[in-house]
C-alpha cells in the first residue's frame, strides 16, 4: 500500500488539476459564499412609492418604509404604469400605492384602500419586501385608530388591546437573526465540496484507463484491488479532510455559526462527508468504467443534490417519488445530520438512519471491486 500511496502522491504533484480541484477551488468556494452573505440577509432592497395623495400622513408612512432595514425607497413614480414597468425592468422589488384621498378617508374612518405590489422573481427579495410593505400598510390604519381612540378618552392599555388583541411572542430557534449565511452556506459549500470529491475520485480512476497505466497501478499493489484503491484514495482523503476541517474552523470558529452539537460531532460529520463522497464516486465508476460517463453521472448527481437536500424546498412538500429518491443523495443525509446533531444539538441517536446512510455510501465500493479490477485489466479506453 505504501508504494501505491507514494505513486499517487507523485501523480497529484504532477497534475495541476488535482491541486486546483482539491485545494484552490474549494477554498475559493468557502470564501465566496461566506463573504457573499456576510451581512446575514439582504439589506436596503430597492422599493418605490406612488403617492397621489401627497399629504403629511402618506409622507410619514413613506419615511417609515425607508427606515426599515430591508427596504430603501429609491424612487417616486407619478403613475401605477411607470411603477409596474420599473418592477418588470428589475429596477425595484415592489412599490406602495397611495391613491388620492387616502388621508381624508383615514381620518373619516372610511377604510381607504392602500395597495402594494411586489415581485417574487427573487423569492427571498420579494418575501422581505412584502413583509415591510404589509407592515407599513398596517401601521397607517393603526396610527389613525390610535389617535381617534385617544381623543375619545380611551387609556393606552385599552388602545393597545383594541389595536392588537393578541400579542405574538416570537422565538426563532437556533437562528434568531434569520442569518441566511448560517443555513445556506452550510449546505452550499459542503455540496460543492462533494461535487469536487465525486469528480476527482472518478477522474483519478478513469485516467488510469485513459493513459493505459491501469495494469501498472494494479501491479504496484500486487494485483490486490482493495489495496490499490485504498492507496490511491488515501492521499486524496487526507487533503479533502484537511480542507473540510479548514472550512469548519472558519465558519464555526471564526464566523461563529451556531454549533451546539460540539467539536466531536463536527469532526465525525467531516469524516463521513469525505468518505461517503469518495465511496459514491468509486461506486459510479464501478457501474460505468468510463472516464467520461462516470464524471458526467457524478456531476449530474451532485447538481441534483442541491435540490434534494431539503434546504431550499422541504422534502416533505415534494411528491412521494421524489421523497423516496432523496434518500439516494449523500448531501441529503449530510445536511440532515448537520441540522439535527450540529445545528440543534440533538444526540446522534436521533439521526441514526442518516448516519447509517452515509456509512453505507462509504462502503458502496465493496459492491464494485471485482468490476473495477476487471475493467483495469481488460477494458480498452474509448475516447
Amino acid at each position: 500500500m505504501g508504494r501505491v500511496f507514494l505513486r499517487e502522491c507523485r501523480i497529484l504533484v504532477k497534475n495541476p488539476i488535482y491541486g486546483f480541484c482539491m485545494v484552490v477551488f474549494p477554498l475559493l468556494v468557502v470564501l465566496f459564499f461566506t463573504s457573499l452573505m456576510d451581512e446575514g440577509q439582504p439589506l436596503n432592497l430597492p422599493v418605490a412609492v406612488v403617492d397621489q395623495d401627497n399629504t403629511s400622513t402618506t409622507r410619514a408612512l413613506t419615511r417609515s418604509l425607508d427606515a426599515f432595514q430591508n427596504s430603501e425607497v429609491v424612487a417616486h413614480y407619478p403613475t401605477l404604469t411607470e411603477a409596474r414597468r420599473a418592477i418588470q425592468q428589475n429596477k425595484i422589488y415592489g412599490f406602495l400605492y397611495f391613491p388620492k384621498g387616502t388621508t381624508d378617508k383615514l381620518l373619516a374612518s372610511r377604510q381607504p384602500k392602500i395597495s402594494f405590489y411586489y415581485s417574487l422573481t427573487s423569492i427571498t427579495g420579494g418575501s422581505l419586501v412584502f413583509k415591510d410593505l404589509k407592515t407599513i400598510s398596517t401601521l397607517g390604519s393603526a396610527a389613525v385608530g390610535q389617535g381617534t381612540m385617544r381623543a375619545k378618552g380611551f387609556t393606552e392599555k385599552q388602545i393597545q388591546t383594541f389595536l392588537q388583541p393578541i400579542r405574538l411572542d416570537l422565538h426563532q430557534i437556533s437562528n434568531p437573526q434569520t442569518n441566511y449565511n448560517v443555513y445556506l452556506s452550510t449546505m452550499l459549500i459542503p455540496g460543492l465540496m462533494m461535487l469536487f470529491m465525486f469528480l476527482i475520485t472518478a477522474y483519478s480512476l478513469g485516467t488510469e484507463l485513459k493513459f493505459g497505466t491501469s495494469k501498472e497501478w494494479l501491479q504496484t499493489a500486487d494485483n490486490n484491488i482493495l489495496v490499490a484503491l485504498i492507496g490511491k484514495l488515501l492521499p486524496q482523503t487526507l487533503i479533502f479532510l484537511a480542507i473540510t476541517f479548514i472550512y469548519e474552523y472558519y465558519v464555526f470558529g471564526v464566523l461563529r455559526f451556531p454549533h451546539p452539537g460540539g467539536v466531536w460531532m463536527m469532526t465525525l460529520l467531516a469524516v463521513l462527508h469525505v468518505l461517503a463522497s469518495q465511496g459514491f464516486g468509486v461506486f459510479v465508476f464501478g457501474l460505468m468504467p468510463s472516464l467520461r460517463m462516470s464524471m458526467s453521472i457524478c456531476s449530474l448527481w451532485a447538481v441534483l443534490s442541491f435540490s434534494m437536500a431539503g434546504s431550499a424546498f422541504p422534502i416533505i412538500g415534494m411528491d412521494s417519488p421524489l421523497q423516496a429518491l432523496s434518500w439516494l443523495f449523500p448531501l441529503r443525509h449530510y445536511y440532515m445530520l448537520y441540522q439535527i446533531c450540529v445545528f440543534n444539538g440533538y444526540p446522534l441517536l436521533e439521526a441514526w438512519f442518516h448516519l447509517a446512510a452515509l456509512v453505507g455510501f462509504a462502503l458502496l465500493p465493496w459492491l464494485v471491486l471485482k468490476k473495477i479490477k476487471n475493467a483495469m485489466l481488460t477494458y480498452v479506453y474509448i475516447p
Side-chain angles (χ1 to χ4, degrees):
M1 186 184 298
R3 290 185 298 165
V4 182
F5 179 86
L6 293 175
R7 176 181 179 273
E8 188 63 23
C9 289
R10 289 193 293 268
I11 293 175
L12 296 183
V13 172
K14 290 179 181 179
N15 193 339
I17 290 179
Y18 290 103
F20 279 103
C21 292
M22 297 172 66
V23 179
V24 178
F25 292 152
L27 291 179
L28 288 177
V29 164
V30 173
L31 294 175
F32 173 76
F33 281 103
T34 52
S35 60
L36 181 68
M37 297 177 284
D38 61 344
E39 292 182 341
Q41 60 177 286
L43 303 176
N44 297 324
L45 297 171
V47 296
V49 172
V50 179
D51 189 357
Q52 295 180 345
D53 197 38
N54 196 24
T55 62
S56 59
T57 300
T58 57
R59 288 193 294 269
L61 291 174
T62 300
R63 288 192 297 270
S64 298
L65 176 62
D66 191 47
F68 284 157
Q69 186 179 25
N70 295 324
S71 301
E72 179 182 2
V73 178
V74 297
H76 291 75
Y77 294 103
T79 64
L80 285 172
T81 302
E82 294 184 45
R84 178 178 55 81
R85 187 179 298 115
I87 285 185
Q88 292 172 336
Q89 294 174 348
N90 205 30
K91 294 180 180 178
I92 57 175
Y93 285 94
F95 65 89
L96 190 61
Y97 171 53
F98 298 111
K100 191 171 182 60
T102 297
T103 303
D104 292 338
K105 291 181 179 180
L106 271 175
L107 297 176
S109 300
R110 288 185 304 200
Q111 291 185 320
K113 291 184 178 180
I114 298 176
S115 305
F116 58 85
Y117 301 78
Y118 61 99
S119 171
L120 276 179
T121 304
S122 169
I123 191 167
T124 301
S127 300
L128 293 173
V129 166
F130 164 75
K131 181 179 69 174
D132 289 353
L133 292 174
K134 185 177 180 181
T135 302
I136 284 296
S137 302
T138 304
L139 285 177
S141 60
V144 175
Q146 186 179 36
T148 303
M149 295 182 71
R150 189 178 289 117
K152 292 181 178 180
F154 287 92
T155 65
E156 290 297 326
K157 185 175 181 180
Q158 290 173 319
I159 292 173
Q160 290 297 325
T161 303
F162 180 80
L163 294 177
Q164 191 178 16
I166 299 175
R167 179 176 295 176
L168 297 179
D169 190 10
L170 180 63
H171 298 274
Q172 296 185 147
I173 300 174
S174 300
N175 189 8
Q177 297 83 16
T178 318
N179 190 329
Y180 285 76
N181 204 4
V182 168
Y183 75 81
L184 282 179
S185 292
T186 50
M187 184 276 294
L188 291 173
I189 295 174
L192 287 170
M193 286 184 174
M194 273 190 178
L195 170 63
F196 292 125
M197 294 177 204
F198 289 174
L199 292 176
I200 285 297
T201 303
Y203 175 80
S204 63
L205 294 172
T207 49
E208 298 288 354
L209 289 176
K210 179 178 180 179
F211 299 120
T213 58
S214 56
K215 294 180 181 179
E216 174 199 336
W217 170 47
L218 287 176
Q219 289 173 359
T220 308
D222 296 327
N223 287 322
N224 188 325
I225 186 61
L226 180 60
V227 173
L229 270 178
I230 295 176
K232 172 173 278 293
L233 297 180
L234 186 56
Q236 300 175 24
T237 304
L238 296 177
I239 295 173
F240 279 129
L241 276 175
I243 297 299
T244 305
F245 286 138
I246 290 173
Y247 150 73
E248 289 190 343
Y249 172 76
Y250 180 65
V251 298
F252 296 114
V254 178
L255 300 182
R256 298 195 177 280
F257 285 11
H259 53 284
V263 175
W264 289 111
M265 189 60 235
M266 291 189 295
T267 303
L268 174 63
L269 191 61
V271 173
L272 291 173
H273 177 221
V274 174
L275 295 182
S277 302
Q278 290 185 304
F280 182 82
V282 173
F283 178 71
V284 170
F285 180 82
L287 292 180
M288 287 166 287
S290 163
L291 176 63
R292 180 174 56 196
M293 286 301 298
S294 61
M295 291 187 69
S296 297
I297 295 299
C298 285
S299 299
L300 175 64
W301 214 251
V303 171
L304 289 176
S305 296
F306 295 108
S307 299
M308 304 305 294
S311 173
F313 190 86
I315 298 297
I316 196 172
M318 298 182 182
D319 293 336
S320 298
L322 292 178
Q323 292 185 31
L325 185 64
S326 68
W327 295 101
L328 302 180
F329 292 84
L331 183 59
R332 165 66 177 168
H333 302 288
Y334 170 89
Y335 185 63
M336 290 302 295
L337 201 59
Y338 160 75
Q339 271 195 326
I340 296 171
C341 298
V342 176
F343 191 61
N344 289 300
Y346 287 103
L348 195 58
L349 187 63
E350 299 290 335
W352 70 268
F353 188 85
H354 300 288
L355 173 66
L358 287 178
V359 173
F361 278 111
L363 297 177
L364 279 178
W366 284 99
L367 303 177
V368 293
L369 283 178
K370 291 183 178 180
K371 191 171 182 180
I372 292 176
K373 183 176 182 179
N374 180 62
M376 294 299 169
L377 292 175
T378 61
Y379 278 26
V380 177
Y381 177 75
I382 301 176

